[in-house]
Amino acid sequence: MDPVPALDEPLKKVLGPATAKVMAEHLGLHTVGDLLHHYPRRYEERGQLTHLADLPMDEHVTVVAQVADARLHTFASSRAPRGKGQRLEVTITDGSGRLQLVFFGAGVHKPHKELLPGTRAMFAGKVSVFNRRLQLAHPAYELLRGDAEETVETWAGALIPIYPATAKLESWKIGKALQTVLPSAQEAADPLPEALREGRGLVTLPEALLKIHRPHTKADIEEARARLKWDEAFVLQVALARRRHADAQLPAVPRRPRPDGILAAFDGRLPFTLTEGQRKVSEEIFADLATDHPMHRLLQGEVGSGKTMVALRAMLAVVDAGGQAAMLAPTEVLAQQHHRSVTEMMGDLAQGGMLGGADDATKVVLLTGSMGAAARRQALLDLATGEAGIVIGTHALIEDKVQFHDLGLVVVDEQHRFGVEQRDALRGKGKQPPHLLVMTATPIPRTVAMTVFGDLETSVLDQLPAGRSPIASHVVPAADKPHFLARAWERVREEVEKGHQAYVVCPRIGDEEDGAKAKKKSPEDEAEKRPPLAVLDTAEQLARGPLAGLRVDVLHGRMPPDDKDAVMRRFAAGEVDVLVATTVIEVGVNVPNATAMVIMDADRFGVSQLHQLRGRVGRGSAPGLCLLVTEMPEASPARQRLNAVASTLDGFELSRIDLEQRREGDVLGQAQSGTRSSLRMLAVIDDEEVIAEAREEAARIVASDPDLERLPALRTALDALLDEEREQYLEKG
């Protein structure tokens, strides 16, 4: 039997089962290679101390500091009624600030002996506040003596690596484990082709691993980071380049619109002119549809930039060429909404086979899970015979029973809400692979598009159609200035008096099911954070209080589909003044008369989600107003996030802010594939150049050697990145 390569060696053989178990469960590390790629978050210099003034609340931190003083107190408690309870309070300092450490009970003896004034140590624990002061309760610590043999070995060099750690495994224990496995780094196979590495002046992979974990100077860290970033960017871009290369080999039926067909008839009736952007993007799409391999295009655009119009013209072009087009929407509300707006836009062109239908007309059918049996049977029949050129539906479209006559184009709306498997199942329904158009209303910075959707060509709509109004956004600090909230409700009344309508958005529904979940929280959580505001309670309070006399209705995801649709219809018809809803209205709901939106507990939503929600107002000629209500204090990160949303309507700018705050973990398909982000060193937003250059290099290499036969180490790295799950993710992307 072949020996296991050093980097594939299970950690339990090298470090022992107890440590290996904690590493696997809490950090997702299983092999020597995994541990070598667990890079330090930052470095402390032995001579310097951490800035205690900048510690984040509620986070697990590691600090290097000096003991200023230590006092032992005795007190009476239920456990030690005769005044025998002991509490050790240690104050540590870094010159910029002070931090209190507390130890109780039997845990005081060891630190009382060891943490003497003047001692330097590393401390790790969760930062909390007690009596308005920051403290660490029962922190783990490691003294920095620098004289004992073992310590000098362990902390070689002046730079101490601080690792992403957990309460179960402190940074210095991870450091010691790395000390054990570091010799194996010599055997790391280098995925970068030698010419590329030398041409860019990058160090070898074994050298980079050594320098990232045991740097002697800051230059070592920079060299290692530059190299490891390239690895991540390059291997990922090679995976995407191979995907693009494979797609280009697939056959597809070219679909060209007829000069006198349904598309020409539709364009001839448009009551407005398309924006320059819509025209340009449509041309790109038509050019792709005319080729004999499948289009894979991402259409991204600002909220309200007219993506649906572009997608509809693409679908009509395919119908012209004798094919069928399917639009996949994430929710029933949205599928019904799209169906309604498409049939309205098409008029008698959507009445194929019916009395009064135009000559070139086709049928536009809706297919959702909650349709009645008869309507469903008819829709399935229309698809199988080809009678229906366009179908709009939810994942009900993917079921085995659904057969197409000749599926030529799949349009996926709001891609981030669809599992990759679902898209793939729909693509599998064409006789040959259909063309694919993915629409997203969350603008994606270019770098992310290159990294996440690198196998799709990208088109961007960045102009708003004429007649759209600007949206004014303001933060309403309900806790600091309660009269601002009262004014917000007055503004809603004023809009309704002018004949307009308003949305009030809440994070939760508020029926029993939510209540049951909320009860499981610990008492500390409850004291610290009240549960998020709920639609049902808020609607009742508003109807009885500040909005009394107005027609208030509710909409949320657990209502039966027919009820949801009925509420939306009433709201669209102007029979409801104020709609109190969850984020079900986030995507695609189009009521031009709605001009105001109040988002309660706005700090509980992400930046992109707030931008998306805000796009539901200002869709007509009257200006829109969006009020972001929060109880968060002025200086909190949540307030800064809301200020950012209020200060710009540029979705691309906001998505950058969003990413900088959340990092890329959940961007890189984690939601799609359930795996952790493979990016440890690369920051998608900051490393734009590396990503762009890696993309070019990857395309060059894959063009000359698609199977990477001449680059076995790169193949191995690719297999490691694309464990089965990620492979499927990219396969189906």
Side-chain angles (χ1 to χ4, degrees), residues 24 72 85 144 174 194 239 275 289 310 338 391 466 475 499 532 678 681 711:
L72 191 62
L144 294 175
I174 296 172
E194 200 168 330
T275 64
L289 291 174
V310 170
H338 274 318
V391 57
V475 177
S678 59
M681 194 55 83
L711 299 166

Side-chain angles (χ1 to χ4, degrees), residues 177-449:
L178 267 151
Q179 196 65 27
T180 311
V181 302
L182 209 50
S184 307
Q186 294 304 336
E187 299 182 41
D190 201 326
L192 288 193
E194 200 168 330
L196 188 158
R197 186 176 61 69
E198 287 173 356
R200 296 191 174 270
L202 299 168
V203 299
T204 63
L205 182 57
E207 192 181 336
L209 290 171
L210 239 52
K211 284 182 168 173
I212 201 82
H213 293 297
R214 290 289 171 266
H216 291 289
T217 62
K218 288 185 174 166
D220 284 353
I221 300 170
E222 285 315 304
E223 279 189 359
R225 280 192 168 144
R227 162 64 215 243
L228 296 167
K229 278 181 178 181
W230 249 95
D231 274 20
E232 288 180 5
F234 180 68
V235 175
L236 186 60
Q237 291 300 340
V238 167
L240 292 164
R242 291 185 69 199
R243 174 93 191 87
R244 285 196 302 278
H245 184 270
D247 278 340
Q249 314 306 311
L250 291 175
V253 179
R255 312 278 180 175
R256 295 185 184 83
R258 300 199 314 276
D260 55 349
I262 189 169
L263 175 61
F266 175 77
D267 282 351
R269 306 168 171 211
L270 281 180
F272 50 83
T273 52
L274 298 173
T275 64
E276 185 51 43
Q278 285 175 318
R279 272 205 298 278
K280 184 177 117 310
V281 169
S282 289
E283 289 311 315
E284 292 171 351
I285 291 172
F286 293 151
D288 282 359
L289 291 174
T291 61
D292 53 11
H293 57 85
M295 164 170 85
H296 281 95
R297 192 167 279 280
L298 173 71
L299 170 59
Q300 52 168 329
E302 271 298 0
V303 175
S305 58
K307 291 181 299 296
T308 311
M309 172 59 72
V310 170
L312 175 55
R313 294 183 73 235
M315 294 198 289
L316 294 175
V318 169
V319 172
D320 257 353
Q324 290 170 295
M327 183 186 249
L328 199 54
T331 62
E332 294 215 350
V333 167
L334 194 53
Q336 286 160 342
Q337 186 86 31
H338 274 318
H339 182 253
R340 211 163 27 242
S341 60
V342 164
T343 47
E344 279 167 15
M345 283 198 271
M346 286 175 63
D348 59 2
L349 290 171
Q351 295 173 1
M354 293 182 227
L355 220 58
D359 293 347
D360 288 307
T362 186
K363 245 189 190 181
V364 180
V365 299
L366 176 68
L367 193 61
T368 63
S370 63
M371 284 169 74
R376 189 181 171 75
R377 251 196 320 275
Q378 185 58 52
L380 289 173
L381 186 66
D382 289 342
L383 286 179
T385 59
E387 191 77 15
I390 295 178
V391 57
I392 296 169
T394 54
H395 44 262
L397 278 178
I398 296 164
E399 291 168 10
D400 293 341
K401 289 198 277 294
V402 181
Q403 299 294 325
F404 287 87
H405 177 64
D406 178 13
L407 180 61
L409 170 67
V410 174
V411 179
V412 180
D413 187 16
E414 278 307 303
Q415 177 275 344
H416 62 276
R417 297 182 167 218
F418 268 105
V420 179
E421 292 74 16
Q422 295 167 309
R423 291 212 299 277
D424 195 51
L426 187 50
R427 275 169 52 184
K429 288 185 176 290
K431 295 190 175 73
Q432 285 195 326
H435 299 281
L436 174 71
L437 181 65
V438 173
M439 296 199 295
T440 172
T442 309
I444 301 167
R446 171 174 168 266
T447 40
V448 183

Side-chain angles (χ1 to χ4, degrees), residues 279 351 468 509 728:
R279 272 205 298 278
Q351 295 173 1
R468 278 294 164 92
I509 297 172
Q728 285 176 344

Side-chain angles (χ1 to χ4, degrees), residues 443-449 451-452 607-608 641 652-668 679 683-686:
I444 301 167
R446 171 174 168 266
T447 40
V448 183
T451 308
V452 187
V607 170
S608 297
R641 222 172 55 224
F652 285 90
E653 181 51 37
L654 287 174
S655 60
R656 284 184 82 96
I657 293 169
D658 202 11
L659 262 177
E660 278 158 7
Q661 290 181 335
R662 292 183 311 163
R663 290 283 313 205
E664 301 72 34
D666 46 353
V667 177
L668 277 196
L679 299 192
V684 168
I685 285 289
D686 303 334

